[in-house]
Every structure is written in C-alpha cells, then in structure tokens.
Amino acid sequence: KVAKHFAAAGYPVLTDSEATAQVLADGGVSGVKVIKFDYDNRRTLRDAVFDSNIDLVVNLAKLRPSDKANSNYAMRRMAVDFGIPLVNDQRCAEMLVDALEALPQGTATALYGSQELNIETPVDVKSWQQYLDMRK
C-alpha cells in the first residue's frame, strides 16, 4: 500500500536489494529502482543518497536487526545520520498514506517531476510570540 501510493503519486521508489524490488513488483509497484549502497563508506554513501534525491526512507523490516552489519539497521542509521525522515513501522507508514490521501486536492503536493507546486497551510500558523501570548 505504501509503495503503491508513492509510485502512483509520481515519486520514484528505490530499494537496496533485488529481493525487495521483486516483492514490490509482484505487489503491483512498477518502476522500482535498485541502488546498491556502500554502507561502510560514509563518503560514497552520502554521495549516493544525495545523487538519488532521497527525501523519505520507509524501512519496514520484519525482524529487529541482530547486529550493525544488517542492511536494515544500516539503512535506518543512514536516514538518521543524514537527516532524512524515517518511517520504520508498518502501521505508521499506512497511517501516513491514509493521511496524505485524506488531504483535500491541492492542499499539499510536492514539486517533483511533472507535479505542480501548490502548498497551502491547512491550519493557521502563528508566530512564536502569538503562541506565547495565547498561554497567558
């Protein structure tokens, strides 16, 4: 459900393994790109992450990694180290997709590929001082 949503919205779906790409393809997600990350070399890892324009990491491993050499641990750690938003819980990932689908059309779209930038703030945004004044 998660990968299908982002693929349908025009975002590229990337993975670091052929097995995951096959599972996604079997689930109806087309155009999955496999990128090999060198988790041991921070410089090449950083370059690969930024060259791939990764804006969100969704890593839904079934089991807790047994050690730091595990690719799921390495991917999650990479997201944290580079300040990339990370979703690592299946229920949270599905709730994120449900929330994005529930937004009124044009409320929050991203500038990517052929998508048009049209961002409206769904709630009134107040300055920090206005917030503090409300609490008095």
Side-chain angles (χ1 to χ4, degrees), residues 109-121:
T109 58
L111 180 61
Y112 188 88
S114 62
Q115 292 186 356
E116 127 186 7
L117 181 62
N118 181 15
I119 299 175
E120 297 174 14
T121 306

Side-chain angles (χ1 to χ4, degrees), residues 6-46:
F6 287 106
Y11 293 93
V13 176
L14 311 173
T15 182
D16 68 343
S17 77
E18 294 288 343
T20 302
Q22 187 59 51
V23 168
L24 292 172
D26 292 346
V29 180
S30 60
V32 177
K33 184 177 177 184
V34 178
I35 298 178
K36 294 295 181 189
F37 293 111
D38 182 3
Y39 293 111
D40 297 324
N41 185 327
R42 305 241 338 129
R43 175 168 284 155
T44 59
L45 178 60
R46 184 198 59 187

Side-chain angles (χ1 to χ4, degrees), residues 3-4 10 18 41-42 44 54 57 61 63-64 91 94 99 104 106 115 121 133:
K4 277 185 183 179
E18 294 288 343
N41 185 327
R42 305 241 338 129
T44 59
I54 297 173
V57 172
L63 301 173
R64 184 180 178 101
R91 290 181 65 203
E94 289 177 0
Q115 292 186 356
T121 306
D133 291 343

Side-chain angles (χ1 to χ4, degrees), residues 64-135:
R64 184 180 178 101
S66 57
D67 61 19
K68 292 181 179 180
N70 181 285
S71 66
N72 288 308
Y73 172 85
M75 182 177 291
R76 291 173 181 184
R77 181 67 203 204
M78 172 213 53
V80 171
D81 288 348
F82 294 128
I84 300 170
L86 168 67
V87 178
N88 62 359
D89 180 82
Q90 179 69 35
R91 290 181 65 203
C92 289
E94 289 177 0
M95 289 188 325
L96 171 64
V97 168
D98 292 343
L100 292 172
E101 289 175 347
L103 288 173
Q105 184 67 27
T107 299
T109 58
L111 180 61
Y112 188 88
S114 62
Q115 292 186 356
E116 127 186 7
L117 181 62
N118 181 15
I119 299 175
E120 297 174 14
T121 306
V123 294
D124 290 335
V125 176
K126 298 186 181 332
S127 71
W128 183 245
Q129 188 59 50
Q130 288 172 314
Y131 174 75
L132 293 175
D133 291 343
M134 288 182 350
R135 298 190 59 165

